Amino acid sequence: MKTLLAAFALLLIAIGPVRAQEAPSVPFKASELTIETAAGKSFHFTIELALTPEQQQYGLMFRKKMAPDAGMLFVFDQAGPQAFWMKNTLIPLDMIFIRTDGTIANILEKVPPQTLDPRSSDGPAKAVLELNGGIARFLDIKPGDRVVHPLIAATKG
């Protein structure tokens, strides 16, 4: 038992500095985005764009807070099944999975931070919008609503 505890203590010492250090800074470009609901409401957000693999891997890690009207938009080259984890993410998030036509496929609400559990789209998604946890429900944003941004084809129809 002492050997097991000693090994665990050594493991904690070894991983301690890694958890405390911040990952390198990754630059993100700011942009504006609108969500149009089926109820006729529009909500505007100032978002950061995660377009490169490095940006998409880093995402919102190490953020301790985010403005209520802020978020991050992940846009992929092709639509497909998307899965995210919350490693080193410190705040709960809503994940909004977006189809190629700009409609919302599904929403995962208040995804708990600091987990490696995969959170997935229901079917193919071209983009994923991360907002503060609880914002989608608060604003009554639902699957079928439309996300409008120049990087997402958002044709009315």
Side-chain angles (χ1 to χ4, degrees):
M1 184 67 166
K2 281 186 176 181
T3 306
L4 185 59
L5 288 175
F8 184 68
L10 285 174
L11 178 64
L12 289 178
I13 291 168
I15 66 172
V18 174
R19 293 189 88 201
Q21 87 184 36
E22 297 257 336
S25 176
V26 176
F28 295 97
K29 182 180 176 186
S31 188
E32 300 295 318
L33 175 144
T34 302
I35 298 177
E36 298 173 345
T37 70
K41 295 181 181 177
S42 292
F43 301 103
H44 304 281
F45 295 89
T46 300
I47 54 142
E48 294 174 273
L49 296 171
L51 305 176
T52 68
E54 181 184 31
Q55 290 170 328
Q56 291 170 352
Q57 183 177 359
Y58 192 81
L60 291 170
M61 291 193 313
F62 304 108
R63 308 273 179 109
K64 293 180 181 175
K65 60 184 176 179
M66 189 166 58
D69 64 342
M72 182 168 282
L73 181 66
F74 298 75
V75 181
F76 303 98
D77 292 335
Q78 295 183 9
Q82 304 298 338
F84 281 59
W85 67 47
M86 299 287 284
K87 179 182 178 181
N88 298 320
T89 305
L90 306 177
I91 56 176
L93 298 172
D94 287 350
M95 292 181 182
I96 299 175
F97 294 89
I98 306 162
R99 297 182 188 104
T100 55
D101 67 356
T103 59
I104 296 173
N106 64 300
I107 302 171
L108 301 179
E109 297 180 1
K110 296 184 183 177
V111 175
Q114 299 188 11
T115 71
L116 291 176
D117 298 337
R119 310 301 176 151
S120 302
S121 60
D122 290 343
K126 170 73 174 167
V128 179
L129 175 62
E130 292 183 339
L131 302 173
N132 281 298
I135 292 289
R137 182 177 296 270
F138 180 76
L139 298 177
D140 202 28
I141 297 168
K142 298 179 178 171
D145 290 345
R146 185 170 308 282
V147 176
V148 180
H149 187 272
L151 295 178
I152 301 170
T155 57
K156 298 235 179 206

